[in-house]
């Protein structure tokens, strides 16, 4: 599956917020559950910190869905 760019207006953005913005999670509770279940990867590595700060170019995946943090210019 291809990676889609998800524009953000300012860096950094927290992982939990990005999951919602990228439609990888339905809401904050769902994002927390996905992270707690170790179903979220950032740049290919499992991430368990909901507050992990993401930067331009980071790739977040849940299952086969991938989204890239893209700083809006």
């Amino acid at each position: 599956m291809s990676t889609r760019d998800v524009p953000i207006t300012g860096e950094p953005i927290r992982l939990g917020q990005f999951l919602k913005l990228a439609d990888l999670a339905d809401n904050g509770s769902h994002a927390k559950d996905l992270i707690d279940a170790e179903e979220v990867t950032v740049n290919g590595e499992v991430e368990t910190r909901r507050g992990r700060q993401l930067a331009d170019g980071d790739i977040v995946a849940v299952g086969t869905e991938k989204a890239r943090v893209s700083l809006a210019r």
Side-chain angles (χ1 to χ4, degrees), residues 5-72:
D5 288 331
V6 177
I8 62 170
T9 52
E11 282 187 289
I13 186 170
R14 296 190 192 285
L15 178 58
Q17 294 171 310
F18 185 76
L19 287 170
K20 293 182 292 183
L21 180 66
D23 290 327
L24 295 173
D26 297 330
N27 52 46
S29 171
H30 185 219
K32 181 182 183 310
D33 290 344
L34 289 170
I35 293 166
D36 287 347
E38 298 186 358
E39 294 183 30
V40 178
T41 62
V42 176
N43 300 326
E45 299 197 7
V46 173
E47 182 55 69
T48 58
R49 297 170 296 161
R50 190 170 48 161
R52 157 84 185 260
Q53 297 199 346
L54 303 173
D56 189 35
D58 282 343
I59 296 176
V60 177
V62 176
T64 59
E65 292 188 68
K66 293 181 180 178
R68 179 184 299 113
V69 178
S70 176
L71 193 58

